[in-house]
Structure formats: C-alpha cells, structure tokens
C-alpha cells in the first residue's frame, strides 16, 4: 500500500528577538518612537519659553493687581479717616503735640505759668529785650575794648548796685549815647527781676545768654507746633499740662 507522504512540517515560530526587531523596524517607518533601554526619570524638564501673548497677559495681570492694591490702600485711608472722624464725634479728646522746654522756660523766668495768653506774650517780649541787652553788652565791650562784665558792671552801678572801679568809670554814654544807656539800664532791672540767674561776671553773662537762647528756641518750637495743631500757643500749653492752665505753674527755687 502506498503510504501518504508525511505532513509538511509546521513553520517554525520566529524567535522573540525577530519580533522585537520587526517592531523596531516598523516603528522607524511609521514614526512611532522607539523604546529606550534606559530612561532618566530624575532629569528636570525644561519649561518652554513663554510666547509674546503670554508675556503680555502676565503684564496685564500685574497691572490689574497693582491697581487693586492702590484702590485697597485708598479705601483703607478713607476708612481710617472715617474712623478718626467717628472718634472725634464721640467726644474723644484730640492728641496735642508735646513741646519740650516748657518746664525749663518756667524755671528760668519768674513769671509763673505760661499757659495763658497774657503771660506768654509778656514772657516773649521780656526774653527778647533781655537778649538784646546781653547782645548790646557784648558789642559795647568790644567797642570799648573791655570785658563784658565791665559794661554790665557799669549798668549795675547805675541802678545802685556795687561794682568795681573799672566798670564804674567806663565812658558808656559816649560810646552808645544816653538814650541807649537808659534803655539798657531799664532792661537790666528787668533781667534782675525776671531771670532766675544772678548775673555779675562773664560766666554769669554766658549762662544767662544760654538760658535766654534756649527759651527763645522753645517759643519757636511752640509756634510751629501750635500752627500744626490749629491751636493758639497758650491753649496748646494748657492742653499739654492742665495744671498750668489752672495757674499752678512752677514755683521759684
């Protein structure tokens, strides 16, 4: 009998390596990215550069935010003003600036409290006259080529106070005139009455000039503060120290 021929041997399956090679080959043709043997997952991705439109949009956002902040600031300021106004309506006493030098001025001058319009005005005028007197004493001593204490000693002699022979013999009237001497004599009496410094020699004259200069500075600071606060100078002093307004200023030492 005739034997059937043996079936054809099945085609051997291609090895796995052949399939992978085929896939890689197809991927290179179809544009599919090929797998890499190793991937660096820790590598940082580079952010793409923003487009001009994105830059413009970001600038617009920043401008809008700045405008919002400005509006918020204006609203906060308005609210603050409104709140302060509400405080004023409630009757809370307004804050007054503190003018330094009030204690020193009242200690230097024998005038009591300065927290009254009349006393403050009198103190200003007296300090101005006494300052002019000491300036005149210094200028006259330079003209006569003597010590300032000699000129002042002459003035003391004119009001009956003891002095040295050199001072008593100064030709002061010839140097400045009789009218000026009479004015200086009158202010000398005022200085001895109002200034709490015993003036006799050069050191005393320097100390008195310093005290008057500091008191003048206090008056100037008072004027600036009262103008800023919208108050009269004496009212500002009264608000700064209520006991001064009641006539309880510094007493003499």
């Amino acid at each position: 009998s005739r034997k059937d021929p043996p079936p054809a041997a099945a085609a051997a399956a291609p090895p796995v390596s052949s399939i992978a090679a085929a896939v890689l080959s197809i991927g290179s043709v179809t544009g599919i990215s090929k797998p890499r043997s190793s991937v660096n997952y820790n590598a940082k991705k580079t952010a793409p550069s923003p487009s001009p439109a994105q830059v413009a949009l970001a600038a617009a956002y920043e401008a809008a935010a700045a405008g919002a902040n400005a509006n918020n600031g204006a609203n906060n300021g308005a609210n603050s003003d409104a709140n302060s106004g509400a405080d004023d309506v409630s009757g809370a006493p307004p804050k007054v600036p503190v003018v330094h030098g009030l204690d020193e001025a009242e200690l230097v001058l024998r005038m009591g409290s300065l927290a009254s319009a009349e006393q403050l005005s009198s103190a200003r005028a007296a300090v101005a006259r006494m300052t002019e007197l000491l300036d005149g004493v210094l200028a006259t001593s330079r003209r006569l080529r003597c010590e300032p204490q000699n000129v002042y000693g002459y003035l003391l002699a004119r009001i009956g106070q003891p002095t040295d022979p050199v001072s008593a013999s100064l030709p002061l009237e010839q140097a400045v005139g009789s009218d000026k001497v009479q004015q200086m004599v009158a202010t000398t009496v005022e200085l001895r009455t109002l200034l709490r410094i015993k003036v006799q020699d050069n050191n005393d004259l320097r100390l008195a000039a310093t005290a008057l200069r500091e008191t003048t500075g206090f008056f100037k600071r008072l004027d600036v503060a009262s103008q800023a606060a919208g108050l009269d100078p004496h009212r500002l002093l009264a608000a700064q120290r209520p006991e001064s307004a009641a006539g309880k200023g510094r007493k003499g030492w």
Side-chain angles (χ1 to χ4, degrees), residues 28-81:
S28 64
V29 175
T30 59
I32 299 175
S33 60
K34 301 177 183 179
R36 296 182 180 180
S37 58
S38 63
V39 178
N40 186 6
Y41 292 100
N42 296 324
K44 295 182 180 179
K45 296 182 180 180
T46 303
S49 301
S51 65
Q54 291 174 327
V55 173
L57 184 60
Y61 281 148
E62 292 179 358
N69 292 335
N71 291 334
N72 290 336
N75 292 333
N76 292 337
N79 293 334
S80 176
D81 293 341

